[in-house]
């Protein structure tokens, strides 16, 4: 099995180059990354932060149209997943797979019993009453958006604890189930900010849930740095960022789709509702190595349930990166 992408530093060592010389199509953060100048007052650095992060929660509440009391902030979405699993008492966890692998690791760490449902082929599989269900929407690694109303009602009837990961929902403006957290107290929504706001190094993730659940999730004091909080507040307050990001995402995603299709390399290109595209080719191993030789890194997907290393994922990037990808495809076709 090939190692999947994303470890750009490992491949930089192999290629004997700097990491920033590699075009990282395995990294699924927003391709729109405007320059940000962050001026930090001395008070931000020299004083202890507000342990409740009131200002940041208010900014998030305004952007996501929820109550600030319905937000738990942690040191990244992955930390939020682990903290949430630890806080839940139910033992049975149903993972709608394929999905982000840390959900399984977090459930195992919390000593829970794991059951997997192939959401692509058997999404209507029954789940146990009062169990935990985990669904990523839009999904990973293929970016499918699911209308979950009927399934959500079934989960509620069975009094399930529902974990929805909506980390990619902003890219195409699909309906969120955030409004349901006031009506159904066993709903938890995982929200990453690094994907849409293109700040993977800023470690802030959120859990949106009924305010009565927040106190059960116990992150350590000051688990978010003042600098990270200040940066995300600046991004959230930038009124021009979101419309610009959405416009550029639409243009660049269409460009990437056209490049993938015109290459004639892939026998399947999956329609996506996120900022990445899943493709299939029996020649994936050779293509991966060919692209890597051209300092282009892509995500292989054999580590995902129900997929093999014949599936590759390409994140949406800028025009310059796309042009280099197209040239690498053309040289591959001549081999």
């Amino acid at each position: 099995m090939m190692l999947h992408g994303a470890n750009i530093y490992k491949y930089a060592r192999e290629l004997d180059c700097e990491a920033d010389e590699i075009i990282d199509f395995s990294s699924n953060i927003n391709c729109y990354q405007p320059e940000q100048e962050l001026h930090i007052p001395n008070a931000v650095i020299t004083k202890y932060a507000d342990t409740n992060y009131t200002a940041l929660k208010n900014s998030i509440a305004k952007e996501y149209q929820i109550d600030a009391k319905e937000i738990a902030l942690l040191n990244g979405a992955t930390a939020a997943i682990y903290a949430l699993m630890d806080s839940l008492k139910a033992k049975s966890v149903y993972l709608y797979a394929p999905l982000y692998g840390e959900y399984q690791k977090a459930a195992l760490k919390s000593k829970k019993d794991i059951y997997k449902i192939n959401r692509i082929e058997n999404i209507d599989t029954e789940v146990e009453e009062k169990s935990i269900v985990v669904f990523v929407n839009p999904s990973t690694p293929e970016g499918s958006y699911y209308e979950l109303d009927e399934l959500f009602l079934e989960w509620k009837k069975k009094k399930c604890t529902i974990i929805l990961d909506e980390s990619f929902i902003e890219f195409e403006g699909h309906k969120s189930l955030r409004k349901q957290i006031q009506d159904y107290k066993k709903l938890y929504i995982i929200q990453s900010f690094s994907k849409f706001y293109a700040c993977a190094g800023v470690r802030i993730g959120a859990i949106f849930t009924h305010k009565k659940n927040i106190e059960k999730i116990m992150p350590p004091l000051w688990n978010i740095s003042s600098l990270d909080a200040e940066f995300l507040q600046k991004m959230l307050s930038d009124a021009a960022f979101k419309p610009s990001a959405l416009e550029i995402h639409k243009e660049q995603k269409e460009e990437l789709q056209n490049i993938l299709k015109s290459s004639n390399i892939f026998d399947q290109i999956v329609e996506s509702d996120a900022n990445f595209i899943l493709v299939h080719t029996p020649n994936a191993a050779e293509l991966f190595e060919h692209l890597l030789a051209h300092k282009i890194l892509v995500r292989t997907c054999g580590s995902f349930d129900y997929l093999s290393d014949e599936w590759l994922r390409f994140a949406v990037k800028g025009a310059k990166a796309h042009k280099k990808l197209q040239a690498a495809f053309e040289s591959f076709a001549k081999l």
Side-chain angles (χ1 to χ4, degrees), residues 30-32 243-253 316:
N30 200 333
C31 66
Y32 178 55
S244 297
L246 292 174
E247 181 180 354
I248 290 172
H249 162 72
K250 183 178 180 181
E251 293 173 359
Q252 295 306 115
K253 183 180 175 184
V316 176

Side-chain angles (χ1 to χ4, degrees), residues 115-129:
Y115 305 91
K116 293 181 181 178
I117 295 174
N118 185 334
R119 60 172 169 75
I120 298 171
E121 297 181 359
N122 301 301
I123 196 169
D124 294 324
T125 300
E126 292 287 324
V127 300
E128 180 184 332
E129 285 193 5

Side-chain angles (χ1 to χ4, degrees), residues 216-231:
K216 300 174 187 176
I217 304 163
M218 298 294 292
L221 289 178
W222 304 298
N223 77 113
I224 297 168
S225 81
S226 298
L227 298 180
D228 287 348
E230 193 82 4
F231 182 88

Side-chain angles (χ1 to χ4, degrees), residues 3 17 30 49 77 96 101 128 190-191 274 278 281 289 294 303 335:
L3 291 172
C17 68
N30 200 333
Y96 284 79
E128 180 184 332
I190 299 288
Q191 181 66 53
L278 184 71
T281 173
E289 294 299 333
H294 286 73
S303 61
L335 295 177

Side-chain angles (χ1 to χ4, degrees), residues 309-326:
D309 277 328
E310 292 187 350
W311 293 93
L312 301 173
R313 190 184 69 190
F314 292 81
V316 176
K317 298 295 176 183
K320 185 177 179 181
H322 288 171
K323 187 175 181 179
K324 290 185 177 180
L325 178 66
Q326 186 173 23

Side-chain angles (χ1 to χ4, degrees), residues 46-317:
T46 59
K47 293 182 179 179
Y48 284 109
D50 169 13
T51 57
N52 194 46
Y53 300 97
T54 304
L56 178 55
K57 284 185 179 180
N58 286 338
S59 296
I60 293 169
K62 181 179 178 181
E63 177 63 30
Y64 290 87
Q65 299 182 326
I66 59 174
D67 193 307
K69 294 179 180 178
E70 298 168 336
I71 302 170
L73 295 178
L74 293 101
N75 186 231
T78 300
I81 292 166
Y82 279 83
L84 179 55
M85 282 292 181
D86 279 342
S87 74
L88 299 175
K89 294 181 179 180
K91 294 294 291 180
S92 297
V93 178
Y94 287 81
L95 303 176
Y96 284 79
L99 80 171
Y100 181 43
E102 293 300 315
Y103 280 102
Q104 178 172 332
K105 293 178 184 178
L108 288 172
K109 183 177 179 294
S110 299
K111 296 181 171 54
K112 301 190 185 302
D113 300 321
I114 297 172
Y115 305 91
K116 293 181 181 178
I117 295 174
N118 185 334
R119 60 172 169 75
I120 298 171
E121 297 181 359
N122 301 301
I123 196 169
D124 294 324
T125 300
E126 292 287 324
V127 300
E128 180 184 332
E129 285 193 5
K130 297 183 178 180
S131 61
I132 300 168
V133 297
V134 180
F135 203 107
V136 180
N137 196 34
S139 61
T140 184
E142 84 282 15
S144 299
Y145 175 79
Y146 291 79
E147 295 288 350
L148 289 177
D149 291 347
E150 289 186 16
L151 201 52
F152 187 74
L153 286 174
E154 288 299 313
W155 293 331
K156 286 175 65 177
K157 286 179 184 176
K158 293 193 171 184
K159 299 180 180 178
C160 293
T161 297
I162 303 168
I163 301 174
L164 295 181
D165 189 326
E166 295 187 343
S167 293
F168 296 99
I169 205 163
E170 290 161 291
F171 283 98
E172 311 226 341
H174 285 294
K175 172 186 167 187
S176 167
L177 290 180
R178 286 189 295 272
K179 295 295 183 184
Q180 299 291 335
I181 62 180
Q182 294 178 1
D183 299 323
Y184 190 62
K185 295 179 182 178
K186 299 176 77 173
L187 172 62
Y188 299 82
I189 293 179
I190 299 288
Q191 181 66 53
S192 168
F193 300 106
S194 65
K195 311 304 183 186
F196 187 74
Y197 290 98
C199 53
V202 176
R203 303 309 304 155
I204 302 179
I207 301 170
F208 300 151
T209 187
H210 193 278
K211 59 185 179 181
K212 290 186 177 180
N213 296 329
I214 296 298
E215 62 186 26
K216 300 174 187 176
I217 304 163
M218 298 294 292
L221 289 178
W222 304 298
N223 77 113
I224 297 168
S225 81
S226 298
L227 298 180
D228 287 348
E230 193 82 4
F231 182 88
L232 184 55
Q233 277 183 256
K234 182 177 177 65
M235 294 294 289
L236 290 167
S237 65
D238 184 352
F241 175 81
K242 192 167 188 176
S244 297
L246 292 174
E247 181 180 354
I248 290 172
H249 162 72
K250 183 178 180 181
E251 293 173 359
Q252 295 306 115
K253 183 180 175 184
E254 184 176 352
E255 182 176 77
L256 177 60
Q257 286 173 324
N258 290 336
I259 290 170
L260 294 171
K261 289 176 183 177
S262 63
S263 72
N264 294 318
I265 294 172
F266 308 105
D267 54 28
Q268 190 171 351
I269 299 173
V270 181
E271 185 175 346
S272 170
D273 294 293
N275 66 327
F276 47 83
I277 299 173
L278 184 71
V279 298
H280 180 272
T281 173
N283 301 316
E286 294 81 4
L287 179 60
F288 179 89
E289 294 299 333
H290 176 80
L291 294 175
L292 192 59
H294 286 73
K295 296 183 180 178
I296 295 172
L297 179 61
V298 301
R299 176 70 152 95
T300 68
C301 295
S303 61
F304 286 96
D305 292 305
Y306 313 117
L307 296 180
S308 71
D309 277 328
E310 292 187 350
W311 293 93
L312 301 173
R313 190 184 69 190
F314 292 81
V316 176
K317 298 295 176 183

